[in-house]
Amino acid sequence: MGRIIASFVVALVLGSAQCWAQQKSGVIGYFKNYIGLANDEIAAIRGGQAVVKTLRSRTPDEIFVFGAVYINAAPDAYIGLASDFDRLRKQPGNVAMAAFSSPPRIADLNGFTFESADIESLKKCKPRNCDVQMPESSMKNINQLIDWSAPNAADQINQMLQQTAIKRLSAYQQEGDRALGIYNDKKHPTDVAGQFRYILSYSKALPEYLPALYNYLLSYPGQRPANVGDSFYWAKVKFGLKPTLRIVHVVTLRGQTGGDLAYAIAEKQLYASHYFQTALDLTFCILDRSRPAQQGFYLIKVMGSEQEGLTGFKGSFIRRAAVGRSASALKKSLAATKDALERRH
């Protein structure tokens, strides 16, 4: 698996002519030799169809899904589309979402609220036994500060949720991963920063070939490269049985002029109320030099996550369903992105 991902980053993140020459057949060789796509799958991608493939993981708790599609449009158009929250809110699976201001404000979180079932479960929430993913300090605040007998108890919970979200995001923007804390909702605590470092270690080539981006993902807010921009957003998504609240840090790297890499985008999860202990989505916009008459690019994504409860007999069924949902959602997203960009083109 390390060979597959290493080759992925070497070939796609570097975006250098020399690297493609080493691959002999460029991105097509990468699809065939390292991802293991069949000729008909490669032809489908080049023909404009979205193709996805589940990649092997190191442990059952990890899920990695690859997807690619060729889009006849400029990569800059994709960057604009990816930050169009009016459009993103309408996509299947998105209940609500919005970008954060700079600095983040409570007003940014309109709609960032727990479902009634989550609020009810918080009444009996305690360390190592809680249905909502959170640190022990948040559980103590709920027990001490919420008046459950009051008719506005739900409003109290959601106000506390939003205030805590702003406080933690602001702390992360100043201190980096140290502010992410530890989830204490399950038997075994989850060190959020540690989990992120582990999932990032899936790619051995990223620190070797893009050390500035790799270091920035780990050392944020320090060591920011000149060609990198930051943004933040929150989302309420339908995944599994429970709608999930997420807060995400987006790091966008612009490739060098003349290279094949137009953009590399990392979406780093900072918080999720359910399911995802950590998550990292990587997106690459790779120019196709073999089609000089077209202004097109390959949109390539690798979605990685670490989730609780995917081991054992029962967990194997949950994992199968989670993988299927992730692959299906990625395929639909790639197809919808292609359609939207080519209609604008």
Side-chain angles (χ1 to χ4, degrees):
M1 189 64 234
R3 181 188 177 200
I4 292 176
I5 297 302
S7 299
F8 172 77
V9 180
V10 171
L12 298 182
V13 179
L14 275 181
S16 67
Q18 180 181 4
C19 181
W20 287 117
Q22 291 171 350
Q23 291 293 324
K24 295 183 180 180
S25 52
V27 69
I28 305 306
Y30 153 72
F31 287 148
K32 184 175 183 178
N33 299 325
Y34 295 106
I35 296 300
L37 297 183
N39 288 335
D40 59 341
E41 292 174 312
I42 296 171
I45 293 174
R46 287 182 59 82
Q49 296 182 43
V51 172
V52 301
K53 182 180 178 70
T54 302
L55 303 179
R56 291 194 302 273
S57 59
R58 296 168 293 187
T59 68
D61 288 336
E62 290 181 329
I63 294 176
F64 291 94
V65 181
F66 161 89
V69 67
Y70 183 81
I71 300 176
N72 188 23
D76 285 350
Y78 171 76
I79 297 300
L81 191 72
S83 58
D84 183 353
F85 284 92
D86 288 336
R87 170 184 171 273
L88 293 173
R89 290 187 196 98
K90 300 174 183 176
Q91 289 190 341
N94 287 338
V95 179
M97 66 187 312
F100 281 100
S101 305
S102 182
R105 304 174 301 166
I106 286 290
D108 299 331
L109 289 168
N110 183 28
F112 188 82
T113 55
F114 283 131
E115 298 292 296
S116 58
D118 283 338
I119 293 175
E120 186 65 24
S121 73
L122 290 174
K123 292 181 180 179
K124 54 183 179 181
C125 192
K126 58 183 179 181
R128 296 175 297 282
N129 186 15
C130 186
D131 288 342
V132 178
Q133 199 162 238
M134 64 174 62
E136 184 173 350
S137 59
S138 296
M139 300 178 197
K140 290 181 178 178
N141 286 338
I142 289 172
N143 290 331
Q144 295 173 0
L145 302 177
I146 299 300
D147 180 3
W148 288 107
S149 64
N152 68 337
D155 291 337
Q156 293 180 49
I157 285 289
N158 284 322
Q159 288 174 10
M160 180 181 291
L161 167 69
Q162 294 176 1
Q163 291 167 357
T164 302
I166 292 297
K167 179 180 178 181
R168 291 190 178 277
L169 177 56
S170 298
Y172 172 76
Q173 291 176 341
Q174 296 176 13
E175 304 170 15
D177 285 356
R178 289 182 298 172
L180 296 180
I182 296 174
Y183 296 147
N184 300 106
D185 51 295
K186 298 295 188 295
K187 182 178 180 180
H188 301 290
T190 298
D191 178 352
V192 181
Q195 285 288 72
F196 177 74
R197 288 194 298 271
Y198 179 69
I199 202 170
L200 190 61
S201 72
Y202 188 70
S203 166
K204 301 300 182 183
L206 186 59
E208 181 177 352
Y209 291 99
L210 272 181
L213 178 60
Y214 175 81
N215 291 334
Y216 187 57
L217 287 171
L218 290 175
S219 65
Y220 173 87
Q223 304 183 41
R224 180 171 179 254
N227 59 336
V228 162
D230 298 286
S231 60
F232 299 85
Y233 73 89
W234 66 265
K236 180 186 284 189
V237 299
K238 291 180 181 178
F239 186 88
L241 300 176
K242 302 175 182 178
T244 299
L245 295 172
R246 301 182 70 213
I247 296 177
V248 178
H249 176 194
V250 182
V251 179
T252 302
L253 179 146
R254 180 184 288 271
Q256 296 181 352
T257 302
D260 291 336
L261 174 69
Y263 292 98
I265 305 165
E267 296 192 44
K268 174 184 178 181
Q269 176 186 286
L270 305 183
Y271 172 72
S273 59
H274 296 293
Y275 304 116
F276 306 101
Q277 294 175 326
T278 191
L280 176 66
D281 294 349
L282 297 173
T283 301
F284 304 93
C285 299
I286 308 296
L287 297 172
D288 185 2
R289 303 296 184 184
S290 70
R291 306 185 190 189
Q294 296 185 21
Q295 188 184 30
F297 69 100
Y298 289 97
L299 177 63
I300 301 172
K301 289 179 175 282
V302 173
M303 301 171 62
S305 63
E306 191 89 14
Q307 302 182 35
E308 179 78 14
L310 301 184
T311 58
F313 180 75
K314 181 180 178 181
S316 65
F317 290 97
I318 298 174
R319 174 184 168 81
R320 191 176 300 118
V323 169
R325 285 194 299 267
S326 297
S328 176
L330 178 55
K331 189 170 186 177
K332 290 178 181 177
S333 174
L334 289 170
T337 300
K338 173 184 173 65
D339 181 65
L341 289 177
E342 291 187 348
R343 280 190 286 109
R344 293 184 180 186
H345 182 57

